[in-house]
Every structure is written in C-alpha cells, then in structure tokens.
Amino acid sequence: MVNEDKVYICIDLKSFFASVECVERGLDPMKTLLVVADPEREKGTICLAVTPAMKALGVRNRCRVFEIPSNIKYIMAPPRMQKYIDYAAEIYGIYLRYISANDIFVYSIDEAFIDITPYMKKYSMNGREFALFLMNKISDELGIRATAGIGTNLYLTKIALDITAKHSPDFIGYLDTESYRETLWDHKPLTDFWHIGEGTARRLAKCGIYTMRQIAMMDEEILYKIFGIDAELLIDHAWGREPTTMADIKAYRPKTNSLTSGQVLMRDYSFDEGRLILREMMDLLALDMVDKNVVTSSVSLWVGYSGRIGAEPARGSASLDIRTNSDRILIPVQTQKFSMDGLSALLNIYRHDF
C-alpha cells in the first residue's frame, strides 16, 4: 500500500553558477547573456553554466565555447567555485531558519530535498505555498531564481522538479502516484526520468520499451534477467513508488568512502608535465585527508587520451601495507603508476577509519 502522508519539496537553483555571476555584476540572470567558462583556456573548454537567456537562444548547458553561435554577444565569466559555495551556504542558512537540518538533504550545490510534512501546519501553508515562500526568500535576499518540485515521495518530488515544474507558470510542479501515472506514464524520452541514463534506455528499447507505462506492465522476471537487482528500482519508479525516506537518508552510513580529484587538460602534456600535475593532485588529496582526519589503504589512477580514437584508458590501483594520509607515501605510489603521455587523470582515494 502506498503511503502518501509525506510531502517533500526539491528546490533547484536556476543556472546557479551563471546566476551568481550575474548577481555579482548587478545584472538580471533571466535576461543577461552570460556563460561561466575560463577565458584563458582554448575554445574547447566546457561552459560550466549558461544563463536562461542563453538557453532561450538554443545554447545548451555544458556546451563547449566554440559551439556557441558567433552572432551571440555574451559575457564570459571565469568560474569562482568558492563564491558559489558561499552563496549555497547562505541559501542553506535560509532553509535552516524555518526547517530542521534533520529534514534537509543537500543533493548537490544547487539542489536540496526538504521534508515539509511537519511544517505545513506549523506555518499554515500547503506544499505549493511553502515552496513559493522559500523560493521568494532566496530571490529577495540573494537574487537567485529557483524552481521546485513537490511530491509524496522523494522520487516523485524529483520528477516533479525535472519534468513538471518547467511547464508550470510559477515554476513549481506537483506529483502524487495518481497524477504521475495519469500525466507521465507515456512521457518520452525515458532519459528525462531520474536514474535512467542512455545505456538503460538503449537496453529497454531492445525490448520495445519506451515509456514508464511499458516498464510497469513488463514481465518483472524479464527485467530482473536484464538488469539484475537494479530492476527493483526501475519497477518501483515506473509505478511512482519510492520507499526511501528522509529519515533513511539521515541514518545511512556507507561502509567505505572515497575522495576524488580530476583534471581535463586542454592540450597534450609531456610525460614530465603530466607527472607534475599528478603529484599536485595527490598532494592536495593528502592535505584533504589530513583535514578530514581519514586515512587510506588503497589508491587508484585513471588516465585517458586525446586524439586517439578507440584507445582504451589506462588504469591501475595499488594496495598499501598500512593505512595512511602521508603525502610522502602516497605521492611516490601514484607517480610509480604513472607511465603514460598526454593525460586526463582521475584519482580515487578510498577512505577508512572515520
């Protein structure tokens, strides 16, 4: 039986990085043509964010600079991650004025889930009024626009945000299981739905499945044969079910954790240049581990290539005899693993002993 006594909202900050850069310049994020990208890099660099006005002209988020039509005159703002973190912290502070931290889950720097079930009666507001109240607070105090999804479980809340809110005049979407099945069971493409990527969609297409309705009506045994245990999540979401609650999220403690550092280089690097970058990345990760008071017994390295179509990335890992966060041990281990020319590296540092 579906329990729909809960009410969640998910607030997303529109084009967050680009909006912050507009606000800092005294400009309207909804009207200004601005992209966040490093002007010192080549035109192949990725735009971390573009304003809604740029999107209205057909410029997609995460595009590369050279893909922006030459007839569009725009501002290029260098990324300032600390500035975005500061704004996100202020917005989280707004939430905390009205909601306990136990009822807030920060999903990403620009998105947060909130269980508003106990607060609607307290503030004499329904879900839509409460979402609009918080959105207006963010806009009035910081100049950042937001959208929101409201749902009776965390999944429906996210889908209401991702699919429904964009078609609503107040940028707020609402879904319960009944309205989900009525309005989105035949929605296409499937990749619009949370947790369905291109790979999953292709595998479903091979079975003639293109909608959530078709997943819900599919023989479950076939889905389990194709997706294994992941079929359970797929089936639940097809029916609009999500058993995980905010309390479950707050109570979760992972058995292992990892720290990651990555860089995509804008030109081919020599062996010595690549090794220097690797040392710097490992040094910063070691400092981060010391700051978090954690240690590791395993490190891994991933190296990709430019201009080598079909070339497999090089990867390797190393187990240590002791658990440590010492750069004197970790840097030599990683530099020994490094033997390739031209890199796009990703380090995974597995943390233990919290």
Side-chain angles (χ1 to χ4, degrees), residues 178-193:
E178 183 178 356
S179 60
Y180 171 75
R181 295 172 193 175
E182 287 178 353
T183 62
L184 295 179
W185 248 13
D186 296 313
H187 177 89
K188 295 178 182 178
L190 275 172
T191 50
D192 283 350
F193 291 87

Side-chain angles (χ1 to χ4, degrees), residues 182-344:
E182 287 178 353
T183 62
L184 295 179
W185 248 13
D186 296 313
H187 177 89
K188 295 178 182 178
L190 275 172
T191 50
D192 283 350
F193 291 87
W194 200 22
H195 287 315
I196 297 186
E198 296 286 350
T200 299
R202 282 195 297 268
R203 293 165 77 182
L204 289 168
K206 290 180 180 179
C207 300
I209 297 175
Y210 300 94
T211 67
M212 281 297 189
R213 182 192 299 273
Q214 291 173 319
I215 295 174
M217 300 303 167
M218 185 72 173
D219 186 335
E220 291 187 5
E221 289 188 9
I222 296 176
L223 290 172
Y224 276 102
K225 186 175 181 180
I226 297 171
F227 296 102
I229 190 64
D230 290 339
E232 181 177 352
L233 181 69
L234 197 60
I235 294 165
D236 274 347
H237 286 180
W239 287 99
R241 300 189 299 247
E242 176 53 68
T244 302
T245 65
M246 184 68 72
D248 294 328
I249 293 173
K250 294 297 183 176
Y252 176 72
R253 295 293 181 270
K255 293 180 180 179
T256 60
N257 296 272
S258 66
L259 290 176
T260 301
S261 176
Q263 288 196 41
V264 177
L265 306 177
M266 299 311 297
R267 63 175 175 82
D268 288 345
Y269 271 41
S270 68
F271 174 82
D272 288 337
E273 288 176 316
R275 183 170 55 184
L276 177 60
I277 291 292
L278 179 63
R279 290 179 62 88
E280 291 174 349
M281 291 166 64
M282 188 67 257
D283 189 33
L284 289 173
L285 279 173
L287 289 171
D288 196 16
M289 292 171 67
V290 171
D291 183 58
K292 291 178 168 62
N293 195 31
V294 296
V295 294
T296 184
S297 60
S298 175
V299 295
S300 64
L301 171 67
W302 186 97
V303 182
Y305 305 94
S306 69
R308 301 186 190 183
I309 298 175
E312 288 293 323
R315 54 172 62 86
S317 60
S319 297
L320 308 176
D321 294 332
I322 60 172
R323 293 180 176 183
T324 183
N325 54 22
S326 171
D327 59 347
R328 294 184 180 182
I329 296 175
L330 296 173
I331 290 176
V333 169
Q334 283 293 21
T335 52
Q336 287 172 11
K337 285 287 178 186
F338 179 72
S339 60
M340 306 299 174
D341 189 5
L343 91 126
S344 169

Side-chain angles (χ1 to χ4, degrees), residues 167-182:
H167 303 296
S168 174
D170 59 3
F171 300 107
I172 300 174
Y174 171 82
L175 287 173
D176 55 22
T177 52
E178 183 178 356
S179 60
Y180 171 75
R181 295 172 193 175
E182 287 178 353

